[in-house]
Amino acid sequence: HYSSFPSMAMNRVWTNRTDGVKIAALCVWIFLAAMLTTKSSSSSSCQAFSLSSSSMLCFHHRGSRSHPITTIPDHCPLIDNIVQNHHGSNRLPTTRLNIAPHVLIGGGIVIAGVAGWLYIDGADDRQQRQQRQDEEARYSQYQEERARQAYVEPKDFWVEAELAKYDGTKDPDGPILMAADGLVFNVYKGRNFYGPGGEYHLFAGRDATRFLAKTIVEEETPEEAAKPLTMAERAALAAWMFTFKGKYEIVGKLDGFDPKTTSMKS
């Protein structure tokens, strides 16, 4: 079951560049929209400055030292020219950055279109991400169910005869117990190794200390079993124990085990 889960673990790094580009495009669009405010705050002062400047220019244009003009005449060519240039019908409104609004609107439409395209283009990524999340949720439920079915009540000490009924042959989903170096492990997570048909099924339901130390998968002869483990074999057992303690649950100790038979101390 769930044969896709091992490969699923290799695909946990997801690509989010599409979402990043979408967010950036949205930020640019908001910025452009904010720039569409016209220069209303400076229009009145600009007009006052224009009229004041026009009056001064008209004064110098038509007045003299003896007869200064103190009022603006109805028709002054210079004023008419300035006012026409300032309020001419051909002048387009601009933004605070002196960019025509229609240019900004057109650019905003283009950016919005690109962002929309990116959003649609990212649909496959979102679908794949959702599929991975669904697979992980199902796998988590599967693991929880496996743990529930393979649970065995821990106890302080087990005798080797008790381990025999937990060799995996009686319940295909139940616990698999194995003793090593005086500890009893529930190795149901490695069912494909220690269950029926597995490479190390010989270790299940018994004390597998010497098998692990000597790295063998067949029964020892009485003469071989009577020999103590060498230092190299004890070192090999220690390596196995390091792996087991990090991977499998310890459910107790093996009754009657002599730690001197596997100790690295001479």
Side-chain angles (χ1 to χ4, degrees):
H1 299 292
Y2 299 99
S3 59
S4 63
F5 289 132
S7 60
M8 178 188 65
M10 302 299 295
N11 297 323
R12 289 182 177 273
V13 180
W14 301 334
T15 302
N16 292 325
R17 64 180 183 277
T18 302
D19 293 337
V21 173
K22 289 187 295 184
I23 294 174
L26 180 61
C27 292
V28 173
W29 167 243
I30 294 175
F31 175 73
L32 291 176
M35 291 170 56
L36 290 176
T37 304
T38 58
K39 297 184 293 184
S40 59
S41 62
S42 59
S43 59
S44 59
S45 60
C46 182
Q47 292 174 2
F49 175 78
S50 297
L51 291 176
S52 176
S53 301
S54 300
S55 300
M56 295 296 294
L57 290 172
C58 184
F59 175 83
H60 289 290
H61 179 69
R62 300 184 60 181
S64 65
R65 293 181 179 272
S66 58
H67 300 285
I69 298 175
T70 57
T71 58
I72 300 174
D74 294 336
H75 298 285
C76 176
L78 189 57
I79 293 178
D80 293 341
N81 184 44
I82 294 174
V83 172
Q84 182 177 2
N85 289 336
H86 183 72
H87 300 288
S89 59
N90 293 330
R91 182 178 176 84
L92 296 176
T94 61
T95 66
R96 295 185 185 276
L97 297 181
N98 292 324
I99 302 176
H102 69 275
V103 174
L104 293 178
I105 293 175
I109 293 175
V110 172
I111 293 176
V114 172
W117 174 77
L118 290 173
Y119 181 81
I120 296 174
D121 184 64
D124 291 340
D125 290 340
R126 293 192 298 274
Q127 183 178 4
Q128 293 177 1
R129 183 164 59 245
Q130 185 61 45
Q131 289 177 352
R132 284 191 292 264
Q133 291 174 350
D134 293 342
E135 287 180 355
E136 287 184 339
R138 289 195 300 269
Y139 182 63
S140 178
Q141 294 176 356
Y142 167 69
Q143 290 286 57
E144 291 176 359
E145 180 62 19
R146 284 186 65 199
R148 186 189 67 80
Q149 293 179 349
Y151 176 77
V152 64
E153 185 72 24
K155 53 192 301 187
D156 293 335
F157 291 96
W158 296 78
V159 296
E160 190 167 358
E162 292 178 303
L163 304 181
K165 62 181 179 180
Y166 296 107
D167 63 353
T169 59
K170 298 176 178 61
D171 186 354
D173 297 318
I176 300 177
L177 301 187
M178 180 188 73
D181 201 14
L183 298 178
V184 178
F185 296 90
N186 186 353
V187 295
Y188 78 90
K189 293 181 180 179
R191 190 178 302 277
N192 55 326
F193 295 114
Y194 305 104
E199 183 179 1
Y200 305 121
H201 178 58
L202 179 66
F203 303 170
R206 62 188 300 179
D207 182 8
T209 299
R210 292 184 63 86
F211 296 118
L212 295 172
K214 302 183 75 171
T215 318
I216 58 176
V217 291
E218 63 275 344
E219 295 285 357
E220 291 184 285
T221 64
E223 292 77 12
E224 293 173 336
K227 296 178 181 180
L229 296 175
T230 65
M231 292 303 294
E233 292 170 342
R234 297 183 188 196
L237 175 63
W240 279 103
M241 294 301 296
F242 179 81
T243 300
F244 283 10
K245 290 178 180 178
K247 185 176 182 180
Y248 301 121
E249 178 188 5
I250 299 174
V251 295
K253 296 181 179 181
L254 183 64
D255 189 33
F257 178 78
D258 183 4
K260 294 179 180 181
T261 60
T262 59
S263 175
M264 295 290 293
K265 298 179 180 180
S266 56

